[in-house]
Amino acid sequence: MRNIILILLLLMTSTGYGKPLPNPIGNFNSEAFWKMVKLEKSIPNRSITDKDTTIVVISNRKANFDSLRYMTEERDGTQLHYFFVYSGGGVWHVLPVATLEQAIALEPKKNDDWVVYTEGMGKLFTSDIARGIGMAGEYKVNVILLDYPSISSTKRSLGNYFFAMKNARTNYKDFSPAMEHIKKLRDEHKMGSGKISLFYHSMGNNLQRDMVLHHKLGTLNNEVWVDNLILNAPCVPRRGTGKWLNEIHYARHIYVHYNTHDYTLGGAYLVSKRLQLGQRPLRKTCKDVIYINFNMLCDRDHSNFLSIPGRAPAKVEAIRHYSALLHGADVNLQDERLYRPTNYKHVGWDILPDIH
């Protein structure tokens, strides 16, 4: 066991090529950064326009609005908090509102496409906001960010793995009603005419898995209302995948993105002793799922959908692929310049480097 833990710590602090990975907290917990994520009491006098980058946030963190670090590293467990976030003057302005409907009503681009986005391990409220803003800016979509505590500034690598996983596996209790509320607002035409997709990354996929396993889909599953369900590098056990994926009927398409050499999910395997869906999926587990293998394009990388400061920029080919899916479209798997049937146990398709 001691050797396993040592290997895990090495994986969590190295790319495998001798270069250390960035500290997941970095400057995100500094006083300077928290001042950049400014808590507001009212909407500004100036109009918020479609030129502004905006997101909606639903958080299950415990709040302390009298503190600079006003969203804590603890799960609340009794209520959700709703925010409308907009950029301006080099600051991200965070406006608390009473309901999700109020937050969405402030969105100036309601007819754009929507993405409900759940991140994985390693996010404070500030860094989760950064990811949500990054997705909205990169892909020109409306983002509803489901924010939860996935790192603690008081724990080390292994402790944070268990901390994040515990919270990820509890999320269904808080966010299942929020998902039903999103669908209700769609049905009532309060979210414009754009398409809608769900994007779960890494540990965030536990929310989708546990909603099924704990019978929390409810009215979500009564009809097809989601264009693309995207399970990105899912840090969930491979075993039993068919049991829950085959129960999802509300999405027009389901995509599972995996990487056979994903070093982050390799670390998750060493701790849990469970093969991860995002690294080694099984063939024919789910008849309607489209599997995309990122190994040829992205080598050992885990987060391939955004250009993250301190890391290599996201691949152009990956951005093109994600852009189609996040806008509710299909990808052309028959284009041999972009995709080919994978050699990995014939589980789906490789996304290819553009040699042209």
Side-chain angles (χ1 to χ4, degrees):
M1 175 60 73
R2 184 176 181 180
N3 288 338
I4 290 174
I5 292 174
L6 288 173
I7 293 169
L8 171 69
L9 293 176
L10 178 63
L11 283 168
M12 285 185 167
T13 57
S14 170
T15 63
Y17 296 104
K19 294 182 179 179
L21 284 172
N23 178 347
I25 291 181
N27 293 323
F28 287 112
N29 204 32
S30 68
E31 182 175 328
F33 205 96
W34 274 98
K35 288 181 177 178
M36 288 178 55
V37 185
K38 184 181 178 184
L39 189 65
E40 301 288 358
K41 294 183 178 180
S42 61
I43 204 72
N45 291 329
R46 72 172 182 88
S47 296
I48 297 173
T49 72
D50 57 8
K51 303 298 182 185
D52 294 301
T53 303
T54 60
I55 63 172
V56 170
V57 180
I58 307 174
S59 180
N60 68 355
R61 296 176 190 266
K62 186 176 293 185
N64 181 8
F65 291 129
D66 293 327
S67 171
L68 174 68
R69 295 172 176 83
Y70 52 87
M71 295 302 288
T72 72
E73 299 166 16
E74 299 177 66
R75 172 177 173 260
D76 188 298
T78 62
Q79 63 180 324
L80 293 173
H81 299 279
Y82 304 95
F83 303 94
F84 178 69
V85 182
Y86 55 97
S87 61
V91 173
W92 297 332
H93 304 270
V94 180
L95 178 70
V97 293
T99 66
L100 175 61
E101 184 173 351
Q102 289 178 17
I104 287 173
L106 293 171
E107 173 55 59
K109 309 179 289 292
K110 290 186 188 64
N111 289 325
D112 285 2
D113 297 322
W114 290 82
V115 177
V116 183
Y117 174 21
T118 310
E119 255 292 345
M121 178 180 170
K123 308 301 176 295
L124 301 171
F125 183 74
T126 48
S127 45
D128 225 5
I129 293 289
R131 290 292 179 94
I133 290 283
M135 177 175 281
E138 178 78 53
Y139 294 104
K140 306 301 186 245
V141 290
N142 292 325
V143 168
I144 300 176
L145 179 70
L146 305 184
D147 167 66
Y148 66 99
S150 61
I151 198 166
S152 169
S153 58
T154 64
K155 299 181 185 296
R156 296 188 178 183
S157 296
L158 192 60
N160 263 315
Y161 172 85
F162 292 111
F163 172 83
M165 185 59 77
K166 178 182 177 181
N167 282 329
R169 289 178 174 170
T170 308
N171 279 338
Y172 75 93
K173 297 179 181 179
D174 299 320
F175 292 128
S176 296
M179 293 297 297
E180 291 200 4
H181 196 181
I182 291 170
K183 181 180 185 297
K184 181 174 182 290
L185 294 175
R186 292 282 295 180
D187 291 343
E188 294 172 352
H189 307 290
K190 294 179 179 178
M191 293 177 62
S193 57
K195 296 183 178 181
I196 187 167
S197 297
L198 310 184
F199 184 89
Y200 298 93
H201 177 59
S202 195
M203 277 191 190
N205 285 271
N206 284 277
L207 170 57
Q208 180 62 93
R209 177 177 181 265
D210 288 325
M211 284 176 64
V212 178
L213 295 181
H214 292 276
H215 310 291
K216 295 295 184 180
L217 289 184
T219 59
L220 298 179
N221 228 17
N222 290 347
E223 60 183 335
V224 175
W225 64 281
V226 168
D227 292 282
N228 289 325
L229 170 59
I230 306 153
L231 308 180
N232 194 66
C235 186
V236 299
R238 180 181 77 177
R239 185 176 180 180
T241 300
K243 180 179 179 180
W244 61 273
L245 267 185
N246 284 322
E247 292 297 315
I248 297 172
H249 306 302
Y250 61 76
R252 186 170 59 89
H253 291 301
I254 301 175
Y255 288 84
V256 172
H257 293 157
Y258 72 99
N259 182 346
T260 52
H261 290 84
D262 188 316
Y263 62 83
T264 299
L265 297 184
Y269 167 73
L270 287 175
V271 176
S272 65
K273 283 302 179 183
R274 294 181 177 182
L275 291 169
Q276 301 296 299
L277 175 60
Q279 188 181 41
R280 300 296 172 93
L282 290 171
R283 186 183 181 192
K284 295 183 179 178
T285 301
C286 308
K287 60 183 179 179
D288 296 325
V289 172
I290 302 167
Y291 290 90
I292 305 293
N293 185 355
F294 274 73
N295 180 245
M296 284 195 67
L297 179 64
C298 298
D299 194 30
R300 301 183 181 190
D301 289 348
H302 179 65
S303 298
N304 303 309
F305 58 98
L306 286 178
S307 293
I308 299 169
R311 305 186 193 179
K315 305 287 187 184
V316 172
E317 300 90 339
I319 295 293
R320 177 174 57 206
H321 172 85
Y322 284 109
S323 183
L325 296 187
L326 295 174
H327 283 280
D330 304 332
V331 293
N332 184 7
L333 296 173
Q334 307 310 314
D335 190 333
E336 297 178 353
R337 299 170 303 168
L338 307 179
Y339 304 93
R340 75 173 187 189
T342 185
N343 290 326
Y344 172 70
K345 298 184 178 182
H346 307 289
V347 182
W349 307 78
D350 289 322
I351 181 171
L352 301 174
D354 188 351
I355 62 173
H356 306 287

